[in-house]
Amino acid sequence: MEDTAATGKPPLAVIAASLRRERTRAGLTLTEVAQRAGIAKSTLSQLESGTGNPSLETLWALCVALDTPFSRLLDPPRPAVQVIRAGEGPAVSSDQADYQATLLGACPPGARRDIYRVAAEPGHQRTSDPHMPGVVEHVVLSAGRALVGLADDPVELRPGDFITYPADLPHLFRALEPGTWAVLVSEHV
């Protein structure tokens, strides 16, 4: 994972500082968080020191273990007016599929939602373990075709279609055409 805005990838220093901040806020040790997330303590230690190459799955597992929204790991302070051009923004790739989530709008204080641009290619699907209790995802498919929704009953979406589902249950996103992308809003209720 590179630390440049041009790649659209999240800077490791931001993730490292965020992980330390959220672990401290939760009052947990490295060992406790690693056990809860199902990762090696050495992996968490590397991530908190700004080394390593975290996958989307690892970061989500850490968010669940820390009971924190995903965006808190990627979102540095932002100005009042913000423009994110297509292909820019902090992005994290999946180990499971050709799938990338780019944070567009983090949840401001007092609100409980994050906005992502999701880009995926046909092949392997991105299967997500349940997120924190009460999380709901809303997806508008912008281009391509995809199977989206609960893992046991996904729905085929075409451009302009919308779906909402409880994300505290197993769910998936599987591109059916090249160049598939969507806007995903993760609501923390």
Side-chain angles (χ1 to χ4, degrees):
M1 185 177 299
E2 297 175 28
D3 290 337
T4 65
T7 65
K9 302 219 177 195
L12 290 175
V14 171
I15 292 172
S18 297
L19 283 171
R20 286 189 305 273
R21 179 191 68 234
E22 292 302 315
R23 184 174 58 79
T24 300
R25 176 198 53 80
L28 299 170
T29 66
L30 280 170
T31 301
E32 290 168 326
V33 173
Q35 287 175 343
R36 288 180 182 191
I39 65 171
K41 178 182 173 184
S42 60
T43 299
L44 179 56
S45 179
Q46 287 175 340
L47 293 176
E48 283 197 8
S49 68
T51 60
N53 189 18
S55 70
L56 182 66
E57 292 78 15
T58 298
L59 294 177
W60 272 113
L62 288 167
C63 288
V64 170
L66 292 166
D67 191 28
T68 190
F70 184 79
S71 62
R72 286 202 186 141
L73 298 186
L74 302 176
D75 193 41
R78 297 179 180 256
V81 174
Q82 178 186 6
V83 175
I84 299 176
R85 303 284 181 204
E88 295 179 349
V92 181
S93 297
S94 171
D95 281 341
Q96 299 175 359
D98 190 354
Y99 176 100
Q100 187 177 65
T102 302
L103 178 65
L104 298 178
C107 184
R112 304 279 298 169
R113 62 95 188 110
D114 301 315
I115 304 169
Y116 299 89
R117 178 179 48 238
V118 172
E121 296 296 328
H124 298 287
Q125 69 188 22
R126 166 72 178 115
T127 304
S128 296
D129 290 330
H131 301 321
M132 295 175 287
V135 173
V136 176
E137 289 185 351
H138 311 274
V139 177
V140 177
L141 197 72
S142 301
R145 281 186 316 120
L147 285 176
V148 182
L150 296 178
D152 60 356
D153 191 23
V155 175
E156 183 175 329
L157 300 181
R158 296 182 182 276
D161 289 350
F162 169 81
I163 187 172
T164 187
Y165 50 87
D168 55 3
L169 297 172
H171 52 284
L172 64 85
F173 189 106
R174 180 159 137 215
L176 300 174
E177 290 181 4
T180 296
W181 71 277
V183 174
L184 182 148
V185 176
S186 180
E187 180 181 12
H188 311 272
V189 289

